Amino acid sequence: MEKAEDLLIDTCLLAGKIMMESGSEVYRVEDTMNRIAENANEPNSNSYVTATGIFMGLKSRHYTQIENVGERNINLEKVEAVNQLSRKFAEKSVDLPTLYQQLKKIDKETPEFPLLLQILGAAFLSAFLMVLFGGDWLNFIPTLFIGGIGFFIKYEVKQNFDLRFLDTFFASFIIGMLALLFTQTGLALSFDYMCIGAVMPLVPGVAITASLRDILAGHLVSGLVRGTEAIIVAASIAIGIACILFIFGGWLP
Amino acid sequence: MTFLIQFSFSFFSSAAFGIIANIPRRALLASGFTGAIGWVIYFYFNQFFHSGAFSNFVAAFMIGCLSIFFSKKQKMPMIIFYIPGLIPLVPGGPSYEAVRAFALGDPNVGFEKLLFVMATAISIVGGLLMTSLAEQLVNKWIRFKKN
């Protein structure tokens, strides 16, 4: 009996941790955890979820367990996978030990799009948005190039250095430098539009909306945590571009 | 022609963000469609009313409705559709202009742009909240009809 309850708490915490690290909303995480507990015959159990830590307690026991939430980034496939699994558990087509094993598998080996495809995605995202925001068609190919390079640099710095917020700073610094290079050599027209487009894959716009949604839904702690993180990311992008503007501001057209 | 460019470009940029955010493959088309409809609504409302906040509000409302529709249809969480869908609406341009103004020593313009960014973000979130309100109203109405 003891064993089963331990496993239940572990399962709930793992599901919550995966969802929170992949950028899910707070209410969905709490809902999923409570549902898993309910479907395992532990009704009225409580979960308390913040953006940095998850707490889970069963009503029938005196203990509460805590799980730390590490780095948050967006990986929506994991959110979807956990959601499907908890549905399957509710339909009783998987039992608790299998659920736990499958969650562990999701955490480690959810398939991602290959890096080249992601870079291409970022490149086209930059170029298309540059045109949508009103930039000139002449900037299209340079923006494609700069956006891809920026995303690649962010990825590489994140892989190799264990410093938060450094990746976006470097990426936007290089983006600014390349954009200046293109405008100076006459291959592109507008420095500003190219920067706006190329920075878009890095911008934490989603995190800002998510944090406002959390705040308006009453999850004040998580909202503030995510909002602060988003503001720091935005600031590090801004500082990267601002460095270029400070150093070479006089040369800009 | 303008419509075609606006629609297809916002479609592909939403789908491209979907690739970066690693959404499930079978949701790519739907999220691109959500983003395209949202952006086209924003674009034409903005031309007609000349109010960024209002157009953002309506566009976010539509994006929310579409993502509820797709999430019911494909049995996936709603977040998968509205996160890529909101990407064209995110106020990247004004925030860049704010940074530029601060860096080049013009804080007045900078604060003005910053306020604009905040207004945009709040109107987007307001539009999304209205979607949840509409959903609850529809659910209540369906239950009322049944009884």
Side-chain angles (χ1 to χ4, degrees):
Chain A
M1 194 61 209
E2 285 274 305
K3 263 272 167 72
E5 283 169 347
D6 280 341
L7 185 64
L8 176 58
I9 290 194
D10 282 352
T11 313
C12 288
L13 283 174
L14 185 59
K17 182 184 158 90
I18 295 173
M19 288 181 89
M20 207 64 223
E21 281 180 348
S22 329
S24 177
E25 308 106 307
V26 172
Y27 85 89
R28 189 186 299 286
V29 180
E30 286 187 345
D31 192 53
T32 308
M33 287 166 72
N34 288 342
R35 255 168 220 245
I36 291 177
E38 206 176 306
N39 290 319
N41 296 323
E42 287 282 351
N44 303 324
S45 46
N46 262 332
S47 58
Y48 176 64
V49 175
T50 72
T52 48
I54 296 174
F55 303 75
M56 176 88 200
L58 302 179
K59 272 277 146 70
S60 59
R61 291 187 80 187
H62 295 293
Y63 302 113
T64 299
Q65 292 258 347
I66 308 176
E67 183 70 69
N68 208 1
V69 177
E71 203 152 312
R72 288 166 293 284
N73 45 35
I74 305 177
N75 188 340
L76 296 176
E77 179 137 25
K78 283 189 184 176
V79 177
E80 205 267 338
V82 176
N83 216 45
Q84 292 292 349
L85 262 183
S86 90
R87 261 172 217 259
K88 271 190 198 158
F89 184 61
E91 291 162 2
K92 312 272 185 220
S93 59
V94 288
D95 58 344
L96 197 58
T98 352
L99 178 65
Y100 187 64
Q101 291 307 324
Q102 299 241 353
L103 280 175
K104 266 193 165 166
K105 211 172 143 195
I106 287 175
D107 196 16
K108 281 207 198 86
E109 47 194 80
T110 301
E112 279 194 18
F113 287 100
L115 179 63
L116 192 67
L117 199 59
Q118 285 188 36
I119 291 174
L120 273 179
F124 277 101
L125 173 65
S126 315
F128 286 146
L129 283 178
M130 190 275 299
V131 175
L132 282 187
F133 291 155
D136 198 279
W137 280 93
L138 253 177
N139 301 330
F140 192 86
I141 306 237
T143 315
L144 206 71
F145 186 67
I146 298 174
I149 297 252
F151 187 79
F152 177 68
I153 285 171
K154 175 185 180 236
Y155 182 86
E156 281 297 318
V157 172
K158 199 171 186 181
Q159 293 284 313
N160 292 320
F161 298 97
D162 192 23
L163 277 170
R164 276 191 187 186
F165 312 117
L166 187 75
D167 47 351
T168 42
F169 168 76
F170 266 124
S172 67
F173 187 80
I174 304 274
I175 284 171
M177 197 113 89
L178 285 173
L180 191 74
L181 212 70
F182 273 115
T183 36
Q184 286 303 312
T185 49
L187 287 170
L189 280 181
S190 48
F191 176 82
D192 293 334
Y193 280 117
M194 277 163 55
C195 278
I196 294 173
V199 149
M200 281 312 276
L202 319 172
V203 162
V206 178
I208 291 173
T209 23
S211 90
L212 275 174
R213 277 207 94 185
D214 278 349
I215 289 174
L216 289 178
H219 301 288
L220 299 178
V221 177
S222 308
L224 288 181
V225 169
R226 279 204 241 195
T228 314
E229 201 175 29
I231 287 172
I232 298 176
V233 172
S236 65
I237 294 175
I239 295 167
I241 297 273
C243 281
I244 299 288
L245 286 172
F246 269 130
I247 303 170
F248 305 105
W251 294 359
L252 283 180
Chain B
M1 189 62 195
T2 323
F3 175 81
L4 210 67
I5 289 179
Q6 301 285 332
F7 189 87
S8 59
F9 276 34
S10 49
F11 182 92
F12 285 119
S13 50
S14 295
F17 190 79
I19 292 176
I20 299 177
N22 196 22
I23 67 176
R25 270 149 220 253
R26 63 210 157 92
L28 274 178
L29 217 65
S31 63
F33 192 67
T34 314
I37 297 267
W39 172 262
V40 165
I41 285 175
Y42 167 78
F43 184 72
Y44 283 106
F45 267 65
N46 201 14
Q47 278 196 342
F48 199 72
F49 293 105
H50 297 289
S51 158
F54 178 65
S55 337
N56 271 312
F57 179 80
V58 179
F61 179 73
M62 268 318 286
I63 286 174
C65 290
L66 278 174
S67 48
I68 286 182
F69 172 73
F70 284 123
S71 74
K72 291 254 153 69
K73 205 173 159 206
Q74 303 208 357
K75 291 213 168 47
M76 286 187 208
M78 184 187 155
I79 188 174
I80 285 178
F81 303 102
Y82 80 71
I83 283 195
L86 285 178
I87 274 297
L89 296 182
V90 162
S95 44
Y96 169 77
E97 279 164 9
V99 173
R100 186 190 165 127
F102 281 123
L104 297 182
D106 197 348
N108 286 333
V109 178
F111 279 116
E112 192 185 310
K113 297 282 176 196
L114 219 55
L115 273 182
F116 182 77
V117 172
M118 280 184 67
T120 311
I122 290 173
S123 59
I124 289 176
V125 175
L128 280 181
L129 274 185
M130 281 300 130
T131 319
S132 348
L133 176 72
E135 192 193 12
Q136 287 186 16
L137 280 179
V138 169
N139 283 345
K140 277 207 172 128
W141 190 67
I142 289 173
R143 226 175 293 149
F144 180 73
K145 271 259 169 172
K146 269 185 188 164
N147 290 335

